[in-house]
Amino acid sequence: MKLFTRHLSEDDELIAGCIAGKRDMQRRLYDKYAARMMAVCLRYSKTSFEAEDVLQEGFVKVFGNIQNFKRDCPVEFWIRKIMVNTALKQHRQKMHVSSVAEVEQVEKHPEEEFIFSNYAFEELLDMVQQLAPRYQLVFNLYAIEGYSHKEIAAQLDISEGTSKSQYSRARAILKEMIERKEKKYNERIIR
């Protein structure tokens, strides 16, 4: 009679090792996901130093709560959610910025799509980091993380209308930045 054994995936082994408190497994999990999570943290931060703080605090939470990971999604998604929540917490703690006026009825503009594919990640990241903190948060949560305006409103303790207006304003500002960059580029070519 042949016994079948289930082979653990690399992530399953890493998770088991982290739960057991094995430092080498924690290091391997960190090494596997740190670069991708740093990209997430950078989108929510104004500087790389802030992003590193979020990353560090996020991984402390990952290792402190890994025994609670239910394996109902890939571990990368779970870690990403922790990083986003850590960034949001950091913003809540340091932001006493007056909120943008509540707008219950957002002006409906035709969805003008502007092209991001012509820009390197670093250029796009720089533009997003130039947004006001609330615009940056709402833009990242809606456009990149896929949260609904209702979920964003609950996370940031704002109204759904405010989330929509801040997203709309962030898009408009990013569009202006892109148009200015393209105008400068075109002016250089003409010369």
Side-chain angles (χ1 to χ4, degrees), residues 100 131 135 164-174 176:
V100 175
L131 294 170
Y135 293 163
K164 289 177 182 178
S165 69
Q166 289 180 353
Y167 175 71
S168 177
R169 185 67 186 129
R171 278 181 49 96
I173 291 168
L174 288 170
E176 285 176 25

Side-chain angles (χ1 to χ4, degrees), residues 2-188:
K2 192 174 188 179
L3 293 176
F4 293 97
T5 58
R6 180 177 175 250
H7 292 285
L8 294 177
S9 73
E10 178 187 7
D11 282 346
D12 288 335
E13 289 179 29
L14 292 174
I15 292 165
C18 289
I19 291 171
K22 295 181 180 176
R23 294 274 185 222
D24 62 318
M25 293 299 205
Q26 290 175 338
R27 168 55 61 192
R28 285 179 50 200
L29 185 76
Y30 178 87
D31 289 344
K32 182 173 182 179
Y33 292 108
R36 284 180 256 178
M37 295 307 125
M38 183 62 171
V40 171
C41 296
L42 280 166
R43 286 198 310 267
Y44 289 91
S45 305
K46 292 291 182 192
T47 67
S48 60
F49 295 115
E50 284 181 19
E52 288 170 2
D53 286 345
V54 172
L55 183 74
Q56 184 70 25
E57 186 178 336
F59 268 106
V60 167
K61 290 178 182 178
V62 166
F63 296 130
N65 293 290
I66 195 129
Q67 73 279 359
N68 299 325
F69 176 58
K70 293 180 176 60
R71 293 179 172 82
D72 55 353
C73 66
V75 71
E76 181 175 358
F77 295 165
W78 182 74
I79 294 171
R80 178 189 199 99
K81 186 170 185 159
I82 289 173
M83 295 300 161
V84 169
N85 287 335
T86 302
L88 293 175
K89 181 181 175 216
Q90 185 182 72
H91 278 281
R92 274 189 227 109
Q93 288 174 342
K94 72 179 187 175
M95 284 180 49
H96 296 295
V97 177
S98 58
S99 73
V100 175
E102 296 270 331
V103 177
E104 292 303 324
Q105 200 57 278
V106 177
E107 275 186 54
K108 298 289 181 197
H109 295 286
E111 283 296 313
E112 301 171 21
E113 289 304 316
F114 46 97
I115 306 217
F116 285 125
S117 62
N118 295 338
Y119 296 91
F121 173 78
E122 291 79 19
E123 289 177 296
L124 293 172
L125 179 63
D126 182 57
M127 286 186 246
V128 170
Q129 287 178 328
Q130 289 178 44
L131 294 170
R134 285 288 178 147
Y135 293 163
Q136 182 183 7
L137 285 174
V138 171
F139 181 82
N140 281 323
L141 289 169
Y142 186 81
I144 300 185
E145 303 298 338
Y147 284 76
S148 70
H149 286 295
K150 185 176 184 176
E151 292 169 320
I152 295 168
Q155 283 276 354
L156 300 179
D157 196 28
I158 58 177
S159 75
E160 200 171 330
T162 298
S163 176
K164 289 177 182 178
S165 69
Q166 289 180 353
Y167 175 71
S168 177
R169 185 67 186 129
R171 278 181 49 96
I173 291 168
L174 288 170
K175 185 176 181 204
E176 285 176 25
M177 287 180 191
I178 289 171
E179 288 170 350
R180 279 194 306 259
K181 271 189 176 290
E182 288 176 355
K183 185 178 178 184
K184 284 181 183 179
Y185 177 76
N186 290 336
E187 286 172 355
R188 277 189 264 145

